[in-house]
Amino acid sequence: MGLYDYYLALRFRLDDAAAPEHVALVITERDLLEQGAYDTLEAFIRWAFEFGSERVTISVSVLDEAVVPTLARELRDIDSPAEIEVREPGDTERADAPVQVNIGLGGKREFAAVVRSLAEEVDAGEIDPKDIDSEDIEERLVFPDEPDFVVKTGAERLSDFMIWQSVYAELYFTDVNWRDFRKRDYLRALRDYQDRQRRFGR
């Protein structure tokens, strides 16, 4: 770790503000085509746990779903300091591992699947429409946990990421492209998070 990285890490640790418990990262399939992209991803996950986070969600937006199986195979093989689960479009099994990877399962698709599931249960008489609340939706989501902090590299656009879950998350956009993302960039993001006063919609 360079001197400047050490300085940022020290500033972070001396600050009374808490670290985000759940960090989410939004990248694209193109980002993962860059040389060293998976090494950077492995490092990002290590940094998150090193600086106090307990859960990490990686969202990889894709334009061509034909690449999903290849990405899924590569991402399941990354060196993670904690258990990792990968979900693809069409997956409905809930993700519970400390590290969760979402490949192309957009928020609209995930939410639409929840609505269909609830409609089928209403049609079967298993649930009264008047009794449906936010908890019924959340318990049917593939990625149920709400991130505290969402990091997006390269552009100020979240795409179709965790629409329901990230409504109260702090968003951080950096102009640094994924191929150039370093530990100091992550520490800068954390320092920015510490400087914010979270309002949770209030």
Side-chain angles (χ1 to χ4, degrees):
M1 183 165 61
L3 184 61
Y4 182 59
D5 295 350
Y6 178 82
Y7 165 77
L8 287 173
L10 183 63
R11 289 285 304 276
F12 169 79
R13 296 189 191 282
L14 291 176
D15 198 307
D16 292 334
E21 291 184 11
H22 182 182
V23 173
L25 170 71
V26 182
I27 55 178
T28 70
E29 62 180 277
R30 293 187 301 278
D31 290 326
L32 292 176
L33 294 176
E34 299 287 346
Q35 185 174 3
Y38 288 95
D39 293 334
T40 302
L41 186 59
E42 292 174 353
F44 182 95
I45 297 171
R46 289 196 304 271
W47 299 332
F49 285 106
E50 177 184 351
F51 292 102
S53 296
E54 299 176 358
R55 188 174 295 272
V56 178
T57 299
I58 310 296
S59 176
V60 183
S61 61
V62 298
L63 296 176
D64 181 4
E65 288 195 5
V67 306
V68 170
T70 300
L71 290 175
R73 184 173 61 252
E74 295 289 340
L75 288 163
R76 286 191 178 97
D77 288 340
I78 66 173
D79 183 13
S80 171
E83 181 187 357
I84 185 170
E85 291 181 344
V86 177
R87 297 291 182 267
E88 308 171 28
D91 283 342
T92 57
E93 182 182 358
R94 185 184 182 103
D96 290 316
V99 180
Q100 303 171 7
V101 181
N102 170 4
I103 309 174
L105 178 56
K108 290 181 180 179
R109 178 181 292 187
E110 183 184 26
F111 190 73
V114 170
V115 172
R116 284 194 300 272
S117 173
L118 285 169
E120 290 168 0
E121 292 179 44
V122 168
D123 190 55
E126 298 171 359
I127 188 172
D128 190 318
K130 298 190 296 294
D131 295 332
I132 296 174
D133 58 20
S134 60
E135 290 184 3
D136 292 303
I137 294 172
E138 288 162 6
E139 68 184 16
R140 290 166 175 79
L141 292 168
V142 176
F143 297 94
D145 297 321
E146 298 179 1
D148 301 299
F149 191 40
V150 178
V151 177
K152 174 68 172 70
T153 62
E156 292 194 7
R157 184 173 63 86
L158 276 182
S159 65
D160 184 17
F161 171 74
M162 297 180 80
I163 294 170
W164 179 276
Q165 302 92 321
S166 61
V167 63
Y168 296 137
E170 294 295 327
L171 309 180
Y172 181 84
F173 298 97
T174 173
D175 291 334
V176 178
N177 291 321
W178 181 244
R179 65 185 178 190
D180 301 318
F181 197 83
R182 298 166 296 175
K183 189 172 190 176
R184 65 185 55 185
D185 300 306
Y186 184 67
L187 287 166
R188 286 181 183 131
L190 288 182
R191 291 290 297 138
D192 185 86
Y193 176 86
Q194 287 181 316
D195 287 340
R196 302 185 188 188
Q197 179 181 1
R198 300 193 69 195
R199 299 184 181 276
F200 298 97
R202 295 188 294 272

